């Protein structure tokens, strides 16, 4: 049970979490987990990402899920969000592609051009 | 680095988030984490109505916004609420129609999967406005992910005291329960839906009495579509005047259009009410697949219309389409290219109705079978030109005599297919 | 026999649809048996005829034993446009059944259904609770092989 004041505090706090703000996380990886995404393999993609993050011991990376953006033909879709950088949305991701994104983009800072759907500031 | 053409093209695809209202958070926040919803301003409108507004003021705000029902019939939501709000009753209900069975429609699914709390917030506001202490969300049985996400969202909202007893010391109590369908298109019809919710066969009831006066368990019940309700929190937060800056005269706000068929990028877009078919196909649907020519669009689902290229620049809103004897319906847009045979498509549409007719009344249960036999004959090259008149004549009779709107629905696709694409039929008849 | 399911619900008719879903999902043959109908009838205190009426009305229920996995292929116009008929032919061929039938090994039942709300990935189908989209003949063949492998 929360009071209205507590609700307002959560609002402020979680606003920061979404923009990464003062948290220790450098990167947020978000997997689109709607029905379309899951139908085309988003669960396997999520698994691969979590595994890869664990194997590489990437402690400053958080992995979460979201719903569908609406571009069915590009599912599964994965966002990479970093403070002060454009958000990158990758499309038609497979577990192999996801591992490549971790290796190249997350670890080495090199965007994987071939998989990009969109870049947003 | 960004020189590859693939990126140059797709880079432009920006998902149009800046124009979104109901799908603003879908694909951004974690739908299973209430704090992410709260973090993007969620439940602010709920707080506002509980602490600053009287129920009738909420009804009035929604009425002034001109919000039209998004379930297909475009009935003004505020007006609907205003019938139920003043009624004295020991119990009133809000029922959210999440049966989404119109072929080609998946907008409600994205809202529920991507932002379940937005639906809950709108539902609570509607409940407060009309004085309902209980709401039901009726979800089709096939939408398993929607069901589990909404169930989680309800548990969280209760934990946070956003739902429950004496919410934020306002004295208002509210409970939301999920009801599940089991595969019947007709259950999307509001009175059939109520029957189904009560544990019966989902056949329609006669109207009047309308559910707003006598609905679930004979109590006043407001039935609204998911997308309709998902607009409510934004209207409360930003005001009716803001809402009316979106869309066109008489049809305000945004519309979620689902685009599929022979386009490059099938999916969905939320754009201002009144966006043209051409813009929807080219800007949001990525244009025609493989550079083929546009031939037709079936707009509004099976209960929709076959539009030809003459309609590409017409505004896709409820009122404008009505002027052209067309409908927007659920906002589903099935695009067909030059290679598609409209006879085949109409056959598929009629097969759908034949299968979904609930059998309660003769005009529809017999009519859909007769229509199917006729179109099947034409499809197989055994039809006559007179059969085309017969298709129209029978569907007109069904329109006039059927018990519910399902039996009235085949007329629109049949008439528009035959009138706009007569060539396709004549080729088969020769 | 169905106590565990029934006790999750208060004995009111409005819970009938959900109870029948749960019973069907708990049955290895994906159907609602006559014994189950009896038990539900007693629990909810509604006539047998009412329950039969409900069972036959909704397409998701079956009163006859079915396969372990229910394939429901969408045949609505958007999927039809994208070639659902070819997918159907392929499924009938590899499973060696007609629509509505169960494979000899009892692993699959093939059914048709109306729009599943994933038309952006047409043609589409559901197998049990999982959705499959952008189907091709090759893809369905693989899906069937994969599920058989797990059976
Ligand atoms: C056969 C039939 C199917 C319908 N299916 C749906 C549906 O799936 N979802 C929906 O919201 N409305 C559906 N409707 C419309 C509802 O009866 C009702 O008008 C609507 O839920 C009201 O909500 P709104 O005013 O917010 O649009 C259907 C109507 C008919 C006749
Ligand atoms: S019109 Fe069709 S769906 Fe409606 S009540 Fe009659 S038979 Fe049933
Ligand atoms: S038409 Fe097949 S999923 Fe919608």
């Amino acid at each position: 049970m929360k009071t209205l004041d507590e609700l307002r505090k959560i609002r402020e706090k979680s606003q920061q979490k979404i923009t990464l703000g003062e948290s220790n996380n450098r990167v947020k990886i978000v997997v689109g987990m709607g029905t379309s995404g899951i139908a085309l393999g988003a669960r396997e993609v999520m698994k691969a990402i979590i595994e890869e993050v664990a194997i590489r011991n990437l402690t400053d990376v958080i992995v979460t899920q979201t719903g569908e953006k609406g571009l069915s033909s590009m599912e599964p879709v994965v966002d990479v969000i970093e403070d002060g950088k454009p958000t990158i949305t990758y499309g038609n991701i497979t577990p192999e592609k996801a591992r490549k994104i971790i290796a190249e983009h997350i670890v080495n800072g090199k965007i994987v051009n071939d998989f990009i759907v969109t870049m947003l500031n | 680095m960004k020189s590859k053409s693939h990126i140059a093209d797709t880079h432009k695809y920006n998902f149009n988030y800046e124009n979104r209202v109901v799908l603003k958070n879908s694909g951004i926040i974690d739908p299973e984490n209430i704090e992410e919803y709260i973090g993007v301003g969620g439940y602010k409108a709920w707080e506002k109505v509980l602490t600053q507004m009287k129920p009738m003021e909420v009804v009035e705000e929604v009425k002034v916004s001109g919000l039209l029902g998004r379930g297909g019939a475009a009935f003004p939501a505020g007006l609907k609420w205003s019938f139920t709000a003043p009624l004295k009753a020991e119990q009133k209900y809000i029922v959210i129609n999440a049966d989404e069975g119109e072929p080609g429609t998946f907008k409600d699914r994205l809202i529920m999967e991507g932002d379940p709390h937005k639906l809950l917030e709108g539902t609570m506001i509607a409940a407060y406005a009309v004085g309902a202490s209980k709401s039901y969300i009726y979800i089709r049985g096939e939408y398993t992910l929607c069901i589990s996400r909404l169930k989680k969202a309800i548990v969280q909202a209760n934990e946070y005291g956003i739902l429950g007893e004496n919410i934020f010391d306002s004295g208002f109590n509210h409970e939301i329960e999920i009801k599940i369908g089991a595969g019947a298109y007709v259950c999307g019809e509001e009175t059939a839906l109520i029957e189904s919710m009560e544990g019966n066969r989902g056949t329609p009831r006669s109207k009047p009495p309308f559910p707003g006066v006598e609905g679930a368990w004979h109590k006043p019940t407001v039935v609204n579509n998911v997308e309709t309700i998902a607009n409510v929190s934004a209207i409360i937060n930003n005001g009716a005047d803001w809402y009316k800056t979106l869309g066109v005269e008489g049809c305000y706000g945004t519309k979620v259009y689902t685009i599929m068929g022979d386009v490059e990028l099938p999916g969905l877009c939320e754009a201002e009410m009144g966006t043209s078919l051409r813009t929807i196909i080219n800007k949001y649907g990525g244009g025609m697949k493989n550079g083929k020519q546009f031939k037709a669009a079936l707009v509004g689902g099976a209960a929709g219309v076959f539009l030809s290229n003459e309609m590409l620049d017409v505004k896709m809103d409820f009122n404008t389409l009505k002027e052209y004897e067309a409908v927007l319906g659920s906002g589903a847009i099935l695009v067909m290219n030059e290679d598609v045979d409209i006879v085949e498509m109409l056959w598929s549409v009629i097969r759908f109705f034949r299968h979904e007719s609930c059998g309660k009344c003769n005009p529809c249960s017999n009519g859909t079978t007769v229509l199917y036999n006729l179109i099947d004959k034409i499809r197989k090259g055994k039809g006559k030109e007179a059969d085309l008149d017969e298709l129209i004549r029978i569907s007109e009779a069904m329109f006039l005599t059927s018990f519910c709107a399902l039996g009235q629905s085949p007329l629109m696709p049949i008439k528009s297919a035959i009138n706009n694409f007569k060539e396709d039929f004549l080729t088969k008849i020769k | 026999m169905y106590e565990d399911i029934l006790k999750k619900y208060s004995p009111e008719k409005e819970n009938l649809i959900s109870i029948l879903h749960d019973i069907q999902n708990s049955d290895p043959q994906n159907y609602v048996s006559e014994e189950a109908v009896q038990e539900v009838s007693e629990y909810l205190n509604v006539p047998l005829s009412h329950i039969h009426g409900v069972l036959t009305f909704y397409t998701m229920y079956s009163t006859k034993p079915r396969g372990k996995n229910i394939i429901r292929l969408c045949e609505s116009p958007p999927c039809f446009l994208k070639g659902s008929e070819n997918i159907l032919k392929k499924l009938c061929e590899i499973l060696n059944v007609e629509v509505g039938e169960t494979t000899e090994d009892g692993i699959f039942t093939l059914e048709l259904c109306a729009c599943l709300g994933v038309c952006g990935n047409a043609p589409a189908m559901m197998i049990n609770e999982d959705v499959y989209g952008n189907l091709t003949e090759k893809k369905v063949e693989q899906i069937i092989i994969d599920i058989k492998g797990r059976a």
Side-chain angles (χ1 to χ4, degrees):
Chain A
M1 193 73 109
K2 309 272 180 208
T3 64
L4 277 177
D5 268 345
E6 285 169 318
L7 210 64
R8 290 181 193 125
K9 285 202 190 98
I10 295 171
R11 198 168 280 139
E12 280 162 27
K13 194 187 80 198
S14 42
Q15 241 150 10
Q16 288 167 0
K17 201 165 106 197
I18 282 168
T19 56
L20 300 172
E22 290 158 37
S23 58
N24 298 325
N25 301 313
R26 180 177 60 90
V27 192
K28 181 159 145 179
I29 304 176
V30 186
V31 183
M33 298 281 279
T35 299
S36 270
I38 293 171
L40 300 184
R43 278 208 188 99
E44 290 72 24
V45 168
M46 177 65 106
K47 222 175 108 200
I49 292 175
I50 291 173
E51 260 173 33
E52 202 67 19
V53 166
I55 292 170
R56 292 169 178 269
N57 198 21
L58 303 174
T59 50
D60 55 356
V61 173
I62 54 167
V63 184
T64 70
Q65 63 167 355
T66 186
E68 263 169 71
K69 295 188 197 309
L71 202 57
S72 316
S73 54
M74 290 289 172
E75 295 285 349
V77 165
V78 173
D79 292 335
V80 176
I81 304 170
E82 287 174 89
D83 248 355
K85 291 190 187 167
T87 292
I88 308 289
T89 299
Y90 291 113
N92 294 135
I93 298 306
T94 59
E96 296 72 48
K97 288 181 182 175
R99 289 180 203 278
K100 187 167 170 183
I101 289 169
I102 306 252
E104 296 194 5
H105 186 165
I106 310 295
V107 176
N108 288 329
K110 261 175 52 199
I111 293 167
V112 190
N113 283 339
D114 285 356
F115 311 155
I116 293 187
V117 177
T118 180
M119 244 193 257
L120 272 190
N121 282 309
Chain B
M1 183 180 123
K2 286 185 229 158
S3 61
K4 283 184 73 179
S5 66
H6 167 73
I7 302 163
D9 294 344
T10 51
H11 182 185
K12 285 189 219 130
Y13 202 92
N14 69 356
F15 293 99
N16 196 35
Y17 271 102
E18 61 280 8
N19 292 332
R20 291 186 180 197
V21 176
V22 304
L23 285 167
K24 211 178 188 62
N25 304 326
S26 178
I28 304 284
I29 64 168
D30 180 353
E32 301 193 12
N33 182 346
I34 189 172
E35 297 207 356
E36 290 211 3
Y37 180 67
I38 294 169
V40 293
Y43 291 115
K44 253 190 194 163
W46 181 225
E47 182 182 326
K48 183 173 172 184
V49 302
L50 283 183
T51 55
Q52 297 168 34
M53 295 174 85
K54 293 198 184 70
M56 277 321 276
E57 289 171 350
V58 179
V59 173
E60 198 52 33
E61 193 72 30
V62 173
K63 214 168 165 181
V64 173
S65 77
L67 173 64
L68 298 176
R70 301 292 199 255
F75 192 83
L79 187 63
K80 188 184 276 188
W81 296 6
S82 74
F83 297 144
T84 303
L87 299 179
K88 297 252 176 298
E90 53 178 299
Q91 179 72 58
K92 298 180 200 172
Y93 299 109
I94 301 290
V95 170
I96 304 302
N97 189 339
D99 195 49
E100 192 156 71
E102 195 59 59
T105 313
F106 47 96
K107 63 192 179 71
D108 298 343
R109 174 174 70 73
L110 260 80
I111 295 169
M112 292 186 279
E113 286 177 3
D115 201 5
H117 286 285
K118 179 169 289 225
L119 178 61
L120 296 189
E121 185 172 12
T123 305
M124 295 175 209
I125 295 169
Y128 177 79
V130 305
S133 61
K134 174 132 196 194
S135 299
Y136 292 93
I137 303 175
Y138 181 96
I139 311 178
R140 59 183 304 198
E142 294 88 345
Y143 277 5
T144 49
L145 191 60
C146 294
I147 294 168
S148 74
R149 293 240 163 105
L150 272 163
K151 280 188 172 164
K152 273 189 195 150
I154 291 170
V155 170
Q156 289 173 358
N158 275 305
E159 276 169 12
Y160 278 66
I162 290 168
L163 271 172
E165 308 249 304
N166 189 20
I167 301 165
F168 301 135
D169 289 324
S170 63
F172 187 74
N173 305 330
H174 200 65
E175 184 192 350
I176 302 184
E177 189 178 328
I178 305 286
K179 287 279 176 193
I180 300 171
Y185 168 71
V186 71
C187 286
E189 196 282 332
E190 54 188 11
T191 61
L193 183 147
I194 288 170
E195 281 292 320
S196 179
M197 252 178 53
E198 294 182 5
N200 304 324
R201 291 164 70 95
T203 53
R205 296 175 178 171
S206 55
K207 295 192 268 194
F210 287 92
V213 178
E214 198 181 317
W217 297 282
H218 304 290
K219 300 289 189 292
T221 305
V222 169
V223 183
N224 270 132
N225 169 259
V226 171
E227 186 188 351
T228 314
I229 290 295
N231 275 288
V232 169
S233 55
I235 292 172
I236 296 298
N237 279 327
N238 307 317
D241 291 339
W242 161 80
Y243 194 71
K244 291 173 87 165
T245 62
L246 302 171
V248 294
E249 181 70 35
C251 280
Y252 302 109
T254 60
K255 180 78 195 79
V256 184
Y257 301 97
T258 44
I259 324 156
M260 73 225 78
D262 297 325
V263 290
E264 282 290 349
L265 303 174
L268 124 187
C269 71
E270 180 175 352
E272 282 193 50
M273 215 24 126
T275 304
S276 75
L277 189 52
R278 192 188 300 278
T279 304
I280 294 170
I281 293 173
N282 289 338
K283 183 170 171 197
Y284 304 108
M288 295 299 294
K289 193 170 177 101
N290 301 333
K292 293 264 181 183
Q293 288 294 311
F294 171 91
K295 176 170 182 175
L298 177 60
V299 173
V305 278
F306 285 94
L307 300 181
S308 70
N309 58 8
E310 285 171 20
M311 296 289 283
L312 277 170
D313 293 306
V314 170
K315 288 182 157 74
M316 293 283 125
D317 65 77
F318 295 115
N319 295 346
T320 311
L321 282 168
K322 207 187 271 166
E323 284 169 29
Y324 289 88
E325 288 188 46
V327 289
L328 178 57
S330 61
I333 298 174
L334 174 61
V335 177
M336 290 157 261
N337 71 24
E338 54 195 305
D339 301 333
V340 175
D341 181 353
I342 302 299
V343 177
E344 287 292 300
M345 293 310 296
L346 184 63
W347 174 80
S348 166
V349 166
I350 294 175
R351 176 175 65 173
F352 171 79
F353 284 118
R354 184 189 60 157
H355 187 261
E356 298 301 334
S357 169
C358 83
K360 177 176 174 133
C361 72
N362 278 325
C364 168
S365 59
N366 293 340
T368 48
T369 302
V370 176
L371 291 176
Y372 179 80
N373 291 341
L374 275 167
I375 190 75
D376 198 49
K377 199 170 87 178
I378 296 169
R379 177 190 192 219
K380 289 176 178 147
K382 293 178 190 153
K384 309 185 292 290
E385 204 170 335
D387 291 334
L388 301 183
D389 300 330
E390 192 69 356
L391 279 171
I392 293 181
R393 196 186 62 77
I394 291 167
S395 51
E396 270 172 350
M398 288 168 64
F399 183 85
L400 295 172
T401 54
S402 287
F403 187 80
C404 86
L406 192 152
Q408 298 171 339
S409 297
L411 176 61
M412 197 64 107
I414 287 175
K415 216 164 143 182
S416 58
I418 294 177
N419 288 344
N420 299 334
F421 301 95
K422 193 140 197 179
E423 283 297 302
D424 287 35
F425 291 86
L426 294 179
T427 316
K428 291 249 165 155
I429 278 163
K430 273 197 305 212
Chain C
M1 213 187 138
Y2 298 98
E3 280 157 22
D4 286 350
I5 290 171
L6 293 173
K7 74 179 180 213
K8 286 198 298 177
Y9 297 92
S10 62
E12 281 168 273
K13 191 183 70 181
E14 61 171 289
N15 294 321
L16 176 59
I17 310 254
S18 292
I19 290 174
L20 294 176
H21 272 306
D22 283 3
I23 288 177
Q24 177 161 290
N25 292 342
S26 75
D27 190 290
Q29 289 184 296
N30 275 302
Y31 81 119
V32 181
S33 67
E34 194 51 39
E35 298 90 84
V37 173
Q38 293 270 359
E39 235 182 280
V40 175
S41 163
E42 278 162 34
Y43 183 70
L44 297 182
N45 195 22
V46 297
L48 291 170
S49 60
H50 181 88
I51 299 177
H52 286 134
V54 166
L55 279 172
T56 50
F57 184 83
Y58 296 97
T59 58
M60 289 177 84
Y61 298 134
S62 174
T63 51
K64 293 194 185 71
R66 291 186 288 183
K68 227 171 123 186
N69 300 284
I70 311 298
I71 303 174
R72 304 174 78 221
L73 177 70
C74 170
E75 62 164 358
S76 284
C79 281
F80 175 72
L81 178 74
K82 286 294 192 179
S84 59
E85 302 280 292
N86 293 335
I87 304 298
L88 178 61
K89 258 193 222 125
K90 185 76 196 175
L91 281 170
C92 289
E93 182 195 306
I94 52 183
L95 298 171
N96 194 22
V97 292
E98 297 290 316
V99 173
E101 292 178 356
T102 301
T103 53
E104 232 160 63
D105 54 16
I107 298 180
F108 296 101
T109 298
L110 177 61
E111 297 181 356
L112 290 171
C113 69
C115 178
L116 296 166
V118 280
C119 340
N121 301 104
M125 67 179 179
M126 271 181 108
I127 301 184
N128 308 326
E129 302 218 322
D130 295 326
V131 175
Y132 298 83
N134 296 355
L135 297 177
T136 58
E137 289 168 48
K138 224 173 108 192
K139 204 165 158 183
V140 286
E141 200 158 10
Q142 191 57 49
I143 293 166
I144 297 299
I145 291 172
D146 288 349
I147 295 180
K148 262 192 175 162
R150 273 183 262 141

